[in-house]
Amino acid sequence: MIAKDIKRGMIVVSDGAPCMIENVNVQTPSARGAATLYKFRARNLLTKNKVDLVLRGGESLNEADFRVRAVKYLYSDPEKMYFMDEENFEQYELTLEEVGDEKNYLTEELEGVQILIYNDAPVGIRVPFTISLKVVQCEPGVRGNSATSRSKPATLETGLIIQVPEYIDEGTVIKVDSRTGEYLSRA
């Protein structure tokens, strides 16, 4: 796969190990004839270490060979999270480190969660890009401030704290971008 086609959430092979791309940074050259650099921050799915990858525009990486299964989030304990395959009802368990930042978006009603299976072992999950979550705690909005673009912190039902517009109140269901953790709109 060519460097320009690699996006956040994709899984590529680096040094013989599968790595999930977590961040993409593109540096365009200011000089004529210089190559565009693509800098990737990835997480090795086997060792859980962070990996930095730098590719020029024409270079490429191979996409990892994974099985992806649709699962439903069941429950968690202080060390692990448990998921059930929606087709054959097989259960998978992942440690909190394996789940990573995606745990901030998991609710029992969430549809579209996928588990990544490499060599018959679960190594991570993917959540949908847009997720609806309920605001459980935030400062009340001040009347008349809805026209300004100020924001305030809000705690969501999963414990995630994000910045929301001032007019959002407790109990409101909002849409959040799971790639960036930013407020998108009301649900």
Side-chain angles (χ1 to χ4, degrees):
M1 175 173 306
I2 297 174
K4 70 177 184 173
D5 295 333
I6 299 174
K7 307 285 185 231
R8 187 180 184 280
M10 293 182 112
I11 300 169
V12 296
V13 177
S14 174
D15 295 328
C19 297
M20 180 182 283
I21 303 296
E22 293 182 342
N23 192 6
V24 179
N25 185 9
V26 180
Q27 288 185 339
T28 55
S30 58
R32 233 184 240 186
T36 300
L37 290 180
Y38 294 87
K39 294 184 178 184
F40 303 100
R41 170 63 59 100
R43 181 172 31 106
N44 185 318
L45 294 175
L46 301 179
T47 64
K48 307 305 176 222
N49 293 332
K50 299 283 183 182
V51 179
D52 289 322
L53 306 169
V54 179
L55 298 175
R56 295 184 190 276
E59 295 177 339
S60 64
L61 289 171
N62 292 330
E63 196 165 3
D65 185 27
F66 266 89
R67 283 188 314 148
V68 178
R69 307 283 302 186
V71 293
K72 186 160 191 72
Y73 170 62
L74 296 175
Y75 63 95
S76 64
D77 61 27
E79 297 173 2
K80 295 184 179 178
M81 298 185 96
Y82 300 88
F83 302 87
M84 181 180 65
D85 191 313
E86 292 183 346
E87 289 182 22
N88 62 12
F89 306 108
E90 183 178 348
Q91 290 193 11
Y92 301 103
E93 61 182 51
L94 292 170
T95 64
L96 295 177
E97 293 82 31
E98 290 172 328
V99 174
D101 291 337
E102 281 81 5
K103 68 180 171 269
N104 294 323
Y105 305 103
L106 287 173
T107 61
E108 292 180 10
E109 304 85 31
L110 183 61
E111 305 253 338
V113 179
Q114 298 175 326
I115 196 158
L116 309 170
I117 301 172
Y118 185 72
N119 291 340
D120 294 327
V123 294
I125 63 167
R126 283 188 193 155
V127 295
F129 293 146
T130 303
I131 297 176
S132 296
L133 295 170
K134 185 177 184 180
V135 176
V136 293
Q137 194 235 339
C138 69
E139 297 289 322
V142 178
R143 186 169 176 87
N145 282 347
S146 62
T148 62
S149 62
R150 289 187 282 183
S151 62
K152 61 183 179 182
T155 305
L156 305 180
E157 62 186 301
T158 60
L160 179 66
I161 298 174
I162 66 167
Q163 293 293 319
V164 297
E166 243 182 26
Y167 56 84
I168 299 294
D169 295 320
E170 286 183 18
T172 305
V173 178
I174 61 170
K175 290 184 180 180
V176 179
D177 187 334
S178 66
R179 297 168 291 187
T180 61
E182 294 177 351
Y183 168 84
L184 293 174
S185 67
R186 290 184 186 175

